Amino acid sequence: MTTRRARNETEVISASVAGRMGGGALLFGAAAYYLTIVTDPSVSSSRLVSLVLSLSVVAAGVIALVIPWDRFNPRLTIILVPFILVILGVGNYYDPMPRIDAVFFVLIGAWIGLCHPRFTTLAFTPLIALVYWAPIAMRGDAKDLGSATLIVTAVSIGIGELLGLLRTGLERSRDELALSAQRRFSALTRNSIDVTFVFGREQNVRYVSPGAAKRLGYGSGELEAVPLRELLTEYVEGIFEEHVEAILDGSYLGESITKNHELRFLHADGTWIDVEATVQNLLDDPDIDGIVVHVRDIRDRKALENDLHYRAYHDELTGLANRAAFHREVQDARTDVDEATVVYLDLDGFKSVNDTQGHQQGDRLLRVASERLVSAAPGDAVVARLGGDEFAVLLHAGIEEATELAETFVRAISEPFALRGTMVTVGVSAGVAGVDSDGPDDQAIGDADMAMYHAKVSDSVAVSVYEPQMRDRLLQRLDAKSRLRDAIDQGQLILHYQPAVDMKTRAWLGAEALVRWNDPVRGLVPPVEFIGLAEETGLIVEMGRQIIHEACREAMTWPTVAGVEPKVGVNVSPRQFRDPDFLGIIESALSETGLAPDRLIVEITESIFISDIEMASQKLRDLRQMGTFLALDDFGTGYASLSYLRTLPFHLLKIDKSFVENAPTRARDLSLLQTINRLGHDLGLRTLVEGVETEAQAMLAASLHCDMAQGYVFAKPMSAARFRTAMADRQDIELPATTRGLRPKSVH
């Protein structure tokens, strides 16, 4: 329902202004009589009447000036007309003042026309003219009063109607603008992804946008009927009682500032949904006069963040905690638990299962083994898959009890597995080590790993308890480090290249450089067997220097395709990225090889941001300033936070292969892949799907409008010579203009 105040505020001339104008007119009339009659010595017959009349009208005028007209419609000020008639009628009967009354008459006509509906002057002005003329005519001492009255009446009506026409035009223009603004506002709020609430000063929900029906499930006006306290306490979860009281007493937002909150809102179907509420205090804005709250449904974002967080700390295959989560649990146990022990387990003969039964059956064996391990472990234990066929269990127990449990784990996993109708048995070796609160964070895991290796090489035991003299594994790692250092010094590291393919044209836009160790004895060694060691020992810095220089040098030999110079991508490890001379290495490689900076793609993973986000952000900005192309590699498997994507200057988002692997057959994986791809595009990034191995996966990625892809279905990693030859064979390919240069969609 529209209030009197609201109706008043829609008028061009407010009730306050109209009332004060009428009061001013009355004071003019009263003052005229007083000055011309009361103060004139020649007039004595009606001085007392005029004085009383003047004082009465002055009182009416003063009252009209101070009365709170804002509570009424401005048209109600027409009640002042009787006072006007009294001035003209009684005053002219006693002491005619045609000239002064004529001015007063015209002034009144202008006031009526300006403050009241059109044609009101046509009704009232003749009446005023009659009252103006009749008393004087009764006296018989006025000459040519009739023609003068007609002239004054016509002038009064003319001015009044002219001002009324002007006021009406202004009202129509204002109403049209207001209606247009209202339609635009209604269209925006109806189609907006946000639901807008306006809370009034009277502790009520004054307005809810039409989007509430679509976003929250409530019908028109349904939420407006809910008292504000009830809305805050029963429909909102995550807001404290003190916040409710602060909102209700008006102190929640003392200034015109904006606050953001993540809350849960009660949907009409009875479920709680995650929302982001943006609160603005617009009590000082006369057009709003309330607190505005924009509510956005963030269920998709929350689901993605939760899923990415889960993936960051859980093994994709088994659902167990992964290495990062297990390290964190062990670190917490050093200070939070009186007694804790780590059991490290490794499956013996698992590689032969993969070779004979296939990777799918090998994965099934790992899943069943993890289920057996969880079933055998106490309820408060933390069970993790550290990678490959290695598992670990954190127990809240001493060495003796942990050893007994480890033997139970070994027996459970050693039971035969049914794979393709064949019973398969694998051995299990386990190592046990206590968690020392005074030792390094990962000492217990390393000690248990050493004990496990001792059990593996032993013919007599399956479970071994760590002892300080167990250094065989450490010596092996030192030997491996020595051989890897020799490989770096002797140039045994070579690069293979895997193309990055445009999903619209299947054209090669460049390649990712992948390192291999060409061991004279073992042949080509895959990076999974030595990159971790290089990172751990610090050799990754020198290795990375060689890789970057060689990749830039090789890219200079690649032919252009349809005028496009292919890019080359190099992976940068966290330790390499944190090296103080990293930017100098990039500059040196570009300078010495002559490769244009925008042809080098620097690929980093999310783990870089865990230790020092500020350092990482600055280096990325420096690389962007240098002109290099920046890619976020293996997105979704690491830090699992979306906040940095909005601020860091990436060009390319590389989606981890785990998201596309089962997307053609699993709706959940398909939804994740689609959401991540859309997220990348919304942030102005190009997207590349890694690990595309089937045509079904390729067609799916193309249908989701992923920009690029890599995988065996397009081309396997190949030697530098083979890649040059393949690129030369593709020189005649015509590329669409949108793919040339692999430019980002927008600048971050």
Side-chain angles (χ1 to χ4, degrees):
M1 182 179 294
T2 305
T3 63
R4 292 174 177 175
R5 179 176 180 179
R7 287 198 306 269
N8 177 37
E9 289 175 350
T10 63
E11 300 289 343
V12 173
I13 301 297
S14 68
S16 177
V17 173
R20 282 156 178 72
M21 290 175 61
L26 288 175
L27 292 178
F28 172 83
Y33 277 106
Y34 180 79
L35 294 175
T36 56
I37 302 298
V38 177
T39 60
D40 187 355
S42 63
V43 179
S44 59
S45 61
S46 59
R47 183 173 299 174
L48 180 60
V49 173
S50 297
L51 179 60
V52 172
L53 177 62
S54 296
L55 292 177
S56 300
V57 175
V58 166
V62 170
I63 293 174
L65 290 178
V66 300
I67 194 171
W69 289 105
D70 285 340
R71 298 181 181 179
F72 309 101
N73 191 290
R75 297 172 184 179
L76 292 180
T77 56
I78 201 72
I79 61 176
L80 297 178
V81 169
F83 293 98
I84 297 168
L85 297 178
V86 169
I87 292 176
L88 291 175
V90 179
N92 282 340
Y93 179 80
Y94 284 99
D95 299 294
M97 298 180 298
R99 292 180 179 81
I100 296 178
D101 285 345
V103 175
F104 185 51
F105 191 176
V106 172
L107 182 63
I108 294 304
W111 170 66
I112 294 176
L114 189 62
C115 301
H116 300 84
R118 287 195 62 198
F119 308 118
T120 306
T121 49
L122 294 177
F124 280 93
T125 306
L127 174 63
I128 295 173
L130 178 63
V131 175
Y132 165 63
W133 173 78
I136 301 177
M138 292 172 59
R139 291 171 57 97
D141 56 356
K143 298 179 179 179
D144 300 324
L145 190 60
S147 59
T149 301
L150 290 177
I151 293 173
V152 171
T153 302
V155 171
S156 179
I157 291 175
I159 292 176
E161 287 302 298
L162 180 62
L163 293 176
L165 182 64
L166 175 62
R167 178 182 53 79
T168 301
L170 291 174
E171 286 180 348
R172 288 178 178 174
S173 298
R174 181 215 56 210
D175 292 343
E176 290 174 359
L177 289 174
L179 182 60
S180 176
Q182 184 177 5
R183 288 173 177 170
R184 286 196 300 271
F185 176 77
S186 178
L188 288 173
T189 55
R190 184 172 54 253
N191 297 299
S192 173
I193 63 175
D194 295 346
V195 177
T196 301
F197 291 82
V198 178
F199 299 152
R201 295 177 183 268
E202 300 79 13
Q203 298 186 4
N204 64 331
V205 182
R206 202 172 67 211
Y207 171 80
V208 181
S209 65
K214 181 178 180 181
R215 310 296 176 187
L216 304 177
Y218 295 98
S220 176
E222 194 171 348
L223 289 175
E224 292 186 34
V226 179
L228 181 56
R229 176 181 288 277
E230 180 181 343
L231 181 75
L232 296 175
T233 56
E234 298 186 16
Y235 287 73
V236 179
E237 187 178 86
I239 185 170
F240 300 106
E241 183 64 28
E242 57 266 27
H243 293 161
V244 174
E245 296 302 326
I247 291 173
L248 294 176
D249 66 20
S251 63
Y252 177 64
L253 287 172
E255 303 174 359
S256 297
I257 58 177
T258 300
K259 294 186 178 181
N260 296 317
H261 304 278
E262 288 190 2
L263 307 166
R264 300 183 72 205
F265 198 92
L266 182 62
H267 194 275
D269 62 9
T271 61
W272 291 94
I273 64 173
D274 293 303
V275 299
E276 183 179 64
T278 302
V279 185
Q280 291 178 287
N281 180 1
L282 297 179
L283 292 169
D284 295 333
D285 188 330
D287 295 326
I288 304 296
D289 189 29
I291 293 178
V292 179
V293 181
H294 300 285
V295 175
R296 172 169 296 185
D297 186 343
I298 58 172
R299 282 178 289 181
D300 289 343
R301 193 187 83 190
K302 278 291 185 182
L304 177 59
E305 286 183 344
N306 292 337
D307 191 84
L308 293 178
H309 186 272
Y310 179 86
R311 286 170 177 256
Y313 293 105
H314 289 80
D315 177 57
E316 179 73 15
L317 178 64
T318 64
L320 299 177
N322 61 12
R323 181 180 292 273
F326 192 74
H327 273 266
R328 185 177 60 182
E329 293 290 342
V330 172
Q331 184 176 3
D332 292 343
R334 293 172 60 241
T335 56
D336 298 342
V337 179
D338 294 336
E339 198 170 31
T341 311
V342 172
V343 177
Y344 202 110
L345 302 104
D346 181 82
L347 306 187
D348 302 326
F350 175 73
K351 184 177 184 299
S352 64
V353 175
N354 268 340
D355 293 341
T356 58
Q357 300 287 333
H359 289 281
Q360 185 175 3
Q361 294 302 311
D363 289 347
R364 184 173 182 275
L365 187 151
L366 291 173
R367 285 194 292 269
V368 175
S370 68
E371 292 170 0
R372 294 178 181 179
L373 192 55
V374 170
S375 297
D380 59 352
V382 178
V383 183
R385 180 184 176 219
L386 303 185
D389 58 355
E390 295 181 342
F391 296 85
V393 183
L394 175 64
L395 299 170
H396 297 168
I399 293 295
E400 184 176 349
E401 182 182 352
T403 303
E404 294 177 358
L405 285 170
E407 292 173 349
T408 303
F409 301 156
V410 169
R411 288 194 297 270
I413 298 176
S414 298
E415 292 290 328
F417 295 86
L419 302 178
R420 289 181 176 173
T422 303
M423 302 307 292
V424 176
T425 302
V426 296
V428 183
S429 300
V432 180
V435 176
D436 185 359
S437 60
D438 297 326
D441 292 348
D442 57 353
Q443 178 176 327
I445 300 175
D447 291 347
D449 187 10
M450 287 185 187
M452 181 275 298
Y453 181 77
H454 183 269
K456 184 181 288 290
V457 299
S458 174
D459 295 330
S460 58
V461 296
V463 178
S464 180
V465 178
Y466 170 76
E467 296 177 0
Q469 61 267 30
M470 292 178 178
R471 297 298 175 188
D472 293 342
R473 185 67 176 263
L474 177 60
L475 293 175
Q476 285 187 348
R477 294 183 73 82
L478 291 176
D479 179 63
K481 175 183 177 182
S482 177
R483 289 189 291 109
L484 181 57
R485 184 185 300 277
D486 291 341
I488 296 173
D489 295 339
Q490 296 170 14
Q492 295 177 10
L493 299 181
I494 62 174
L495 296 182
H496 282 192
Y497 298 89
Q498 185 173 30
V501 178
D502 182 86
M503 289 307 295
K504 292 183 179 179
T505 65
R506 299 291 178 98
W508 292 6
L509 302 177
E512 179 181 0
L514 304 171
V515 66
R516 302 288 188 267
W517 179 1
N518 190 15
D519 192 316
V521 178
R522 303 169 60 193
L524 286 181
V525 180
V528 68
E529 296 190 21
F530 62 88
I531 289 296
L533 178 62
E535 178 80 9
E536 179 183 332
T537 59
L539 294 175
I540 192 69
V541 176
E542 178 57 31
M543 182 187 296
R545 184 194 303 271
Q546 290 187 15
I547 292 172
I548 293 172
H549 276 72
E550 175 59 22
C552 292
R553 186 199 63 76
E554 178 63 28
M556 288 295 294
T557 68
W558 294 347
T560 60
V561 178
V564 176
E565 294 181 319
K567 295 182 182 292
V568 63
V570 292
N571 292 285
V572 177
S573 75
R575 188 159 185 171
Q576 182 183 0
F577 187 80
R578 290 193 294 267
D579 180 55
D581 195 35
F582 175 67
L583 295 177
I585 292 174
I586 297 292
E587 291 178 337
S588 175
L590 295 173
S591 175
E592 293 177 11
T593 62
L595 186 72
D598 63 354
R599 292 186 60 194
L600 175 62
I601 304 177
V602 178
E603 301 184 10
I604 63 174
T605 60
E606 298 169 273
S607 59
I608 286 176
F609 307 114
I610 296 179
S611 59
D612 191 345
I613 182 64
E614 293 299 328
M615 178 277 296
S617 301
Q618 185 58 51
K619 280 198 175 181
L620 288 175
R621 288 191 289 269
D622 292 341
L623 287 169
R624 179 68 178 255
Q625 186 67 29
M626 194 184 301
T628 59
F629 207 84
L630 302 179
L632 181 59
D633 198 12
D634 297 334
F635 178 75
T637 62
Y639 192 37
S641 174
L642 305 181
S643 59
Y644 57 80
L645 282 181
R646 295 195 296 264
T647 57
L648 298 180
F650 290 110
H651 300 83
L652 179 66
L653 186 68
K654 300 187 72 173
I655 304 172
D656 186 73
K657 66 180 181 180
S658 62
F659 291 96
V660 75
E661 186 174 15
N662 296 308
T665 57
R666 292 184 185 175
R668 181 171 174 273
D669 287 11
L670 172 61
S671 177
L672 279 172
L673 177 61
Q674 186 176 21
T675 301
I676 293 175
N677 183 65
R678 184 172 64 245
L679 171 69
H681 287 167
D682 289 345
L683 293 173
L685 307 177
R686 288 197 175 275
T687 57
L688 183 150
V689 182
E690 301 176 293
V692 179
E693 298 183 352
T694 67
E695 189 61 35
Q697 293 172 352
M699 293 176 64
L700 177 63
S703 69
L704 295 179
H705 305 292
C706 299
D707 299 301
M708 291 165 283
Q710 279 180 284
Y712 284 8
V713 71
F714 306 113
K716 295 183 178 181
M718 62 191 73
S719 67
R722 285 191 60 193
F723 186 79
R724 284 195 301 271
T725 302
M727 288 295 289
D729 292 341
R730 304 171 71 87
Q731 280 184 298
D732 296 333
I733 292 178
E734 282 294 330
L735 300 182
T738 55
T739 67
R740 297 183 178 180
L742 195 60
R743 296 183 176 88
K745 292 182 178 179
S746 64
V747 176
H748 239 336

